[in-house]
Amino acid sequence: MVAVGSYYAGAHIIHIDGGYGGTGAAPDIAKKNIAMPIEYAISKVHNFLKSEGAREAMTLIASGGIRTAHDLAKAICLGADGAVIGTAELVSLECVRCGNCESGRGCARGIASTDSELADLFGEEWATPAPDQPIQRLERPTHRDSPEIRHEKCPGAGGPDGPAGACRLQ
């Protein structure tokens, strides 16, 4: 498995991406033919690293279909050390998921563009967190709900303030 090979090559972090997320930036061959649901991938990689004696030395990050505090808690319980909530954040910033992230001028909205004319559409105030901004409205429930979910789903992990890894399924 690539995860163990990465460990022996000196990596300390592995980021796995399931088949649910995506803004359209991936090549068509990857979007249509490669991937498994992240829930299966997390436990598969976690258990394989554990069986090889490499799990404690690796940080496992998951992405792909993780959108809410419940998805985040599920990923951690399945063996991930952390998760990335990418597409939901881009959509909250007005991404229209047109799939042109890496073609031509790139993102038509300028969010993920390397085109300076499009990038100039967004000023510093757009990127500065404020309570009323879409990204804050997306993240607020996750921050609010995560400790409660963790306490409910992982009572042996020391409650909301316990170590995240203590919640893992063995």
Side-chain angles (χ1 to χ4, degrees):
M1 180 176 266
V2 174
V4 173
S6 298
Y7 166 73
Y8 288 117
H12 299 288
I13 300 169
I14 186 159
H15 180 162
I16 57 175
D17 192 15
Y20 295 135
T23 57
D28 282 341
I29 186 113
K31 287 188 288 192
K32 295 178 180 174
N33 300 301
I34 303 170
M36 69 171 60
I38 194 65
E39 297 85 358
Y40 296 126
I42 294 168
S43 60
K44 193 172 194 70
V45 172
H46 169 73
N47 290 331
F48 192 76
L49 286 169
K50 194 173 170 184
S51 72
E52 293 291 318
R55 180 60 186 100
E56 294 306 315
M58 296 291 286
T59 299
L60 180 59
I61 305 296
S63 64
I66 298 170
R67 294 174 177 85
T68 67
H70 285 81
D71 295 336
L72 181 61
K74 186 175 15 176
I76 291 170
C77 286
L78 289 170
D81 294 303
V84 175
I85 303 174
T87 302
E89 289 178 343
L90 285 173
V91 170
S92 80
L93 296 172
E94 301 176 8
C95 168
V96 294
R97 295 185 69 183
C98 63
N100 294 328
C101 305
E102 296 183 7
S103 62
R105 290 181 74 193
C107 176
R109 307 282 294 165
I111 298 166
S113 182
T114 57
D115 184 296
S116 62
E117 184 180 328
L118 289 172
D120 288 343
L121 295 173
F122 298 98
E124 188 176 319
E125 66 284 347
W126 179 82
T128 306
D132 62 333
Q133 283 188 317
I135 192 81
Q136 293 293 355
R137 290 194 300 269
L138 171 74
E139 297 294 338
R140 196 173 298 118
T142 301
H143 289 282
R144 180 194 65 222
D145 296 345
S146 292
E148 180 182 318
I149 292 167
R150 203 154 139 230
H151 182 68
E152 178 184 312
K153 304 291 183 200
C154 311
D161 299 320
C167 180
R168 284 194 198 122
L169 300 176
Q170 301 301 322

